[in-house]
Amino acid sequence: GQNIDQPTEMTATEGAIVQINCTYQTSGFNGLFWYQQHAGEAPTFLSYNVLDGLEEKGRFSSFLSRSKGYSYLLLKELQMKDSASYLCAVMSNYQLIWGAGTKLIIKP
Amino acid sequence: GAGVSQSPSNKVTEKGKDVELRCDPISGHTALYWYRQSLGQGLEFLIYFQGNSAPDKSGLPSDRFSAERTGGSVSTLTIQRTQQEDSAVYLCASSLVAGQVPYEQYFGPGTRLTVT
């Protein structure tokens, strides 16, 4: 079957760094996406990885290892507005397979 | 430019009634997805349209659910004889496609459906 695993909830402190992990097992792979979803809002695109390595975009970075079926999203200099759910999704053939999301709680 | 729009934003209906949810994708996006998200849960894939190809209906939970996409643009998701377990936020997303591989999806604001 197809499976995406990520922690249900994480807590971090304002100004700190947090890493959200995602592991996957899918029948196909055309890339891995990270989305941010604030409570009551639709998901918004954060990053896309299709090759191994680290993609950096401002305070956010995303890493992929295809051989390990593993990705992480790294958030630096955390701000209160980063409190949200972070969704990992794998493009398997033409379909996005979604993880359940990691709820990130930022404490002052 | 305009993003993905959905209507209505909220819908309250009585059990057993039919509902129609509408999605207007971003112009030029040939791929369109419908998802369902229950409170605190992840996204549940419902159906996928790509150009003129037959839609992938593998995620539809029952034959009470159907969707169509007219003219390769606007899509309507219909739920017949609604049940309380149908209560959720219904999200629509669209994307460009390169070859057979869609790019990142852009989501609409969703329709919050409540079945009483």
Side-chain angles (χ1 to χ4, degrees):
Chain A
Q2 312 213 79
N3 197 49
I4 311 283
D5 285 315
Q6 50 182 132
T8 304
E9 188 175 293
M10 298 182 71
T11 302
T13 305
E14 188 178 16
I17 300 173
V18 70
Q19 178 176 310
I20 302 174
N21 295 324
C22 171
T23 56
Y24 63 90
Q25 289 179 308
T26 57
S27 58
F29 184 84
N30 292 113
L32 186 143
F33 295 81
W34 284 97
Y35 281 78
Q36 180 189 59
Q37 186 176 27
H38 285 100
E41 298 182 11
T44 55
F45 169 76
L46 286 179
S47 69
Y48 172 67
N49 294 68
V50 67
L51 299 176
D52 290 351
L54 188 68
E55 295 280 342
E56 296 187 77
K57 195 185 288 188
R59 294 189 299 113
F60 292 8
S61 302
S62 57
F63 172 83
L64 174 67
S65 169
R66 288 171 296 172
S67 62
K68 295 182 180 177
Y70 168 70
S71 172
Y72 67 72
L73 181 69
L74 190 72
L75 292 77
K76 304 176 185 176
E77 302 168 16
L78 286 170
Q79 302 175 9
M80 297 303 293
K81 67 178 182 180
D82 297 330
S83 293
S85 287
Y86 292 85
L87 310 176
C88 173
V90 171
M91 183 68 72
S92 177
N93 303 312
Y94 55 77
Q95 193 179 119
L96 264 184
I97 311 298
W98 293 84
T102 298
K103 183 178 180 181
L104 178 63
I105 299 168
I106 311 294
K107 295 186 175 180
Chain B
V4 179
S5 61
Q6 292 185 245
S7 60
S9 55
N10 279 285
K11 177 70 176 179
V12 180
T13 190
E14 292 180 354
K15 177 181 173 181
K17 295 280 180 69
D18 297 352
V19 295
E20 281 191 356
L21 312 180
R22 177 188 168 103
C23 171
D24 276 280
I26 292 173
S27 178
H29 282 193
T30 57
L32 186 147
Y33 299 78
W34 282 99
Y35 295 95
R36 178 168 70 174
Q37 188 174 33
S38 299
L39 189 63
Q41 302 298 309
L43 294 172
E44 177 187 2
F45 166 76
L46 296 177
I47 189 168
Y48 165 67
F49 295 91
Q50 165 47 20
N52 296 320
S53 302
D56 176 358
K57 305 178 182 180
S58 61
L60 295 178
S62 78
D63 58 9
R64 296 186 297 104
F65 287 71
S66 63
E68 62 178 22
R69 189 177 184 191
T70 53
S73 181
V74 172
S75 177
T76 303
L77 177 69
T78 302
I79 308 173
Q80 295 178 309
R81 305 181 303 282
T82 52
Q83 304 293 313
Q84 288 185 330
E85 61 262 28
D86 299 334
S87 296
V89 175
Y90 288 80
L91 290 163
C92 174
S94 71
S95 73
L96 293 169
V97 176
Q100 296 297 315
V101 181
Y103 287 120
E104 68 267 19
Q105 298 179 14
Y106 294 84
F107 284 82
T111 294
R112 181 175 298 279
L113 175 65
T114 304
V115 182
T116 60

